[in-house]
Amino acid sequence: MVAVLSSESEHYRQALDGFYDSMGRTVQVVTLAKAAPKLDAGVSVAVLFGAKAALAEYPPHIAKVYCMAPGIPWKEADANSTSAFVQMMPRPQALLSKLKEIQPGMRSLAVLWTSPSMGA
């Protein structure tokens, strides 16, 4: 398994940390800002963080897990597909902290969202 980051963005690094929490830190990491995704022959799964990683070319035998921002449209693949889509959501504490930073007087929050990719 390999994790492919579109860049060294703090957001991708935070998402990678969340991935490490579940999978451990033994996963090879490739950052596209540094190098093209040259994967070993033994790699069977690529976890892709961001659009640049998602749009890169991969060998057909590699299963792909797309980790993208919420609201990105995703067309479900057929039953034979070897891909999956995961929405990267910030931790609620981080989101609320940033909202308080830009709106210190905020007392309530309402969110209108119409993206079908968010589901239930």
Side-chain angles (χ1 to χ4, degrees):
M1 182 181 302
V2 64
V4 181
L5 278 64
S6 291
S7 71
E8 288 290 338
S9 161
E10 177 186 345
H11 303 290
Y12 297 138
R13 282 284 163 190
Q14 288 176 356
L16 182 62
D17 286 342
F19 176 73
Y20 282 155
D21 289 347
S22 297
M23 301 301 294
R25 294 191 181 266
T26 59
V27 177
Q28 173 192 359
V29 177
V30 174
T31 303
L32 293 183
K34 294 181 179 177
K38 294 179 182 158
L39 309 179
D40 298 333
V43 173
S44 59
V45 177
V47 182
L48 314 172
F49 294 89
K52 188 184 248 185
L55 293 172
E57 294 288 325
Y58 300 93
H61 73 277
I62 292 182
K64 294 170 280 303
V65 179
Y66 298 91
C67 299
M68 306 297 286
I72 300 293
W74 173 254
K75 181 181 154 203
E76 291 294 328
D78 61 35
N80 298 327
S81 175
T82 56
S83 65
F85 185 81
V86 177
Q87 292 185 14
M88 294 189 302
M89 302 290 289
R91 291 184 177 100
Q93 300 87 339
L95 177 63
L96 292 173
S97 169
K98 289 294 183 184
L99 287 172
K100 282 291 211 180
E101 191 176 303
I102 61 173
Q103 279 293 337
M106 181 175 61
R107 298 285 181 250
S108 63
L109 174 67
V111 179
L112 303 176
W113 194 269
T114 61
S115 173
S117 66
M118 289 300 286

